[in-house]
Amino acid sequence: MKISDIITAEILKMLDESEAHTAEIQRNEFANDIGCAPSQINYVLSSRFTPEHGYIIESRRGGGGYIRIRRVVMSHSSAVMHIINSIGDRIDALSARVVIENCLHSQLITVESAKLMWSAVSSNVMRCLPPELKDVLRAAILKEMLLTQL
């Protein structure tokens, strides 16, 4: 398991255990507990815990500073529409996978739907397209598939 996945799993565990859907960490201490560099915590937060993925990050710097990660709780339809709108005109394969994994974790889609979505937007499917079209088509397919979840 990659260190990014371990960090993500730990944060998700904290969020799941919190009635307020909030996790609060001190970056250096958390990095020490995980056994990674503090910059890796920053990377995970900026790539996997974004507003597009349904999270709000608050931070306070200095001694006693913290990073607070809050999961935004919204209705099923609102959440799906928010995700669709956040995709934009193009999405790369890794970002598409993260969107699908977040939808699955948030129970917006089933495991079966996630598998179909992963297959439909995979790099393998897009391999015969010109590079400039791959991410555009991937975004269009992912949006349409997410619309079926409303």
Side-chain angles (χ1 to χ4, degrees), residues 8-26:
T8 300
E10 284 300 311
I11 293 171
L12 289 174
K13 181 180 169 191
M14 285 187 259
L15 289 167
D16 289 342
E17 292 172 352
S18 167
E19 289 181 26
H21 306 286
T22 302
E24 196 169 294
I25 61 172
Q26 290 187 316

Side-chain angles (χ1 to χ4, degrees), residues 16-59:
D16 289 342
E17 292 172 352
S18 167
E19 289 181 26
H21 306 286
T22 302
E24 196 169 294
I25 61 172
Q26 290 187 316
R27 189 179 67 129
N28 291 340
E29 185 179 308
F30 187 62
N32 226 11
D33 293 345
I34 300 284
C36 67
S39 61
Q40 290 174 299
I41 305 295
N42 289 348
Y43 168 76
V44 169
L45 292 174
S46 65
S47 63
R48 298 187 183 186
F49 292 91
T50 64
E52 294 80 28
H53 296 127
Y55 299 94
I56 295 174
I57 305 290
E58 302 168 19
S59 64

Side-chain angles (χ1 to χ4, degrees), residues 86-150:
S86 73
I87 291 172
D89 294 336
R90 54 185 343 114
I91 190 168
D92 61 52
L94 179 60
S95 297
R97 186 159 185 95
V98 169
V99 167
I100 295 166
E101 286 174 0
N102 285 333
C103 288
L104 182 58
H105 185 268
S106 301
Q107 298 178 337
L108 296 173
I109 61 174
T110 64
V111 172
E112 295 78 19
S113 293
K115 287 178 184 177
L116 284 171
M117 289 180 189
W118 283 325
S119 296
V121 300
S122 72
S123 294
N124 195 33
V125 169
M126 306 292 171
R127 74 177 178 275
C128 61
L129 291 171
E132 64 275 5
L133 295 180
K134 291 179 183 183
D135 293 347
V136 173
L137 181 59
R138 184 178 289 112
I141 291 170
L142 184 56
K143 286 180 187 180
E144 288 298 318
M145 293 186 92
L146 286 168
L147 279 171
T148 69
Q149 303 301 305
L150 293 177

